[in-house]
């Protein structure tokens, strides 16, 4: 699965951006957005929007087993990948929120079973990621930034599910286990895996 995400994303990016390499080198410390930034953001949104829709089958497969109470937290990490990836690649304020929201929009347009609520979830998830990078003053886009992003999205989405998904009815033991599982899922997919993808993209020279 790790190799699939890394290699697939890099393949898609290289093909779509092949004709855009002639664009000027982007200074990622700038506040403004270049055409190349927008193209990359669109690629991230489309790629992960499709992944998100396919990933829903994994959620339903787990939900059909005795592990149903854990299905959401086990699978959530994948649904949060677009935000931090947009952040670490574009290094722009707001990139995480926009990236996650656009990916959620693509998922919704692909007839997501959650309908328009997908956009709300995408926004909430993006805010959690954004807060992590904001905590560093938007100066660390590496491991620390991704760690804080994972922590931020874990806390924000868990609070959201407390009110939205009935988590307030669960007993303390279950809540603790769900929180830990959620953090591990987000930490791996939206932290470790995103960091590996970032390294591959940087090595490819697609973003300079």
């Amino acid at each position: 699965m790790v190799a699939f995400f890394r290699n697939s994303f890099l393949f898609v990016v290289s093909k779509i951006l092949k004709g855009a390499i002639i664009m000027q080198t982007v200074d990622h410390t700038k506040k403004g957005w270049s055409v190349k930034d927008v193209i990359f953001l669109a690629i991230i949104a489309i790629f992960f929007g499709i992944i998100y829709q396919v990933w829903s089958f994994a959620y339903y497969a787990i939900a059909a087993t005795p592990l149903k109470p854990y299905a959401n937290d086990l699978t959530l990490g994948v649904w949060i990948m677009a935000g931090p990836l947009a952040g670490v690649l574009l290094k722009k304020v707001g990139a995480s929120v926009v990236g996650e929201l656009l990916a959620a929009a693509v998922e919704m347009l692909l007839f997501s079973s959650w309908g328009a609520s997908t956009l709300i979830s995408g926004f909430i998830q993006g805010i959690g990621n954004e807060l992590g990078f904001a905590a560093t003053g938007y100066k660390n886009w590496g491991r620390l930034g991704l760690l804080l992003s994972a922590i931020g999205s874990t806390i924000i989405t868990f609070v959201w599910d407390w009110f939205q998904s009935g988590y307030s009815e669960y007993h303390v033991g279950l809540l603790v286990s769900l929180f830990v599982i959620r953090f591990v899922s987000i930490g791996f997919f939206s932290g470790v895996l995103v960091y590996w993808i970032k390294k591959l993209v940087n090595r490819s020279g697609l973003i300079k």
Side-chain angles (χ1 to χ4, degrees), residues 27-105:
D27 179 2
H28 291 293
T29 62
K30 297 187 302 181
K31 292 184 178 180
W33 290 68
S34 70
V35 173
K36 194 171 183 180
D37 290 332
V38 175
I39 292 174
F40 231 104
L41 194 62
I43 292 172
I44 291 171
I46 295 171
F47 179 82
F48 280 100
I50 295 172
I51 292 295
Y52 289 177
Q53 177 64 358
V54 173
W55 189 244
S56 64
F57 294 106
Y59 167 82
Y60 286 120
I62 296 174
T65 72
L67 293 175
K68 181 178 180 178
Y70 301 93
N72 183 44
D73 298 85
L74 281 168
T75 58
L76 189 59
V78 170
W79 275 308
I80 299 183
M81 289 180 69
L85 186 61
V88 298
L89 291 182
L90 301 182
K91 300 178 181 178
K92 296 286 193 296
V93 176
S96 290
V97 176
V98 177
E100 191 64 43
L101 187 58
L102 289 178

Side-chain angles (χ1 to χ4, degrees), residues 52 76 79-80 82-84 94-108 115-132 149 152-153 156-157 160:
Y52 289 177
L76 189 59
W79 275 308
I80 299 183
S96 290
V97 176
V98 177
E100 191 64 43
L101 187 58
L102 289 178
V106 173
E107 181 187 4
M108 181 189 70
S117 65
T118 303
L119 293 177
I120 300 175
S121 296
F123 179 72
I124 296 296
Q125 292 160 4
I127 288 293
N129 291 320
E130 192 74 28
L131 289 176
S149 174
S153 56
I156 294 298
T157 58
W160 171 252

Side-chain angles (χ1 to χ4, degrees), residues 3 15 36 54 81 86 91 107-108 110 121 135-136 151 173 175 181 192 198 204:
K15 291 299 181 182
K36 194 171 183 180
V54 173
M81 289 180 69
K91 300 178 181 178
E107 181 187 4
M108 181 189 70
L110 292 174
S121 296
T136 72
I151 293 173
L175 285 172
I181 290 171
V192 176
K198 172 195 172 186
S204 73

Side-chain angles (χ1 to χ4, degrees), residues 129-145:
N129 291 320
E130 192 74 28
L131 289 176
F133 295 119
T136 72
Y138 294 102
K139 293 179 180 178
N140 190 305
W141 303 97
R143 294 176 182 175
L144 176 60

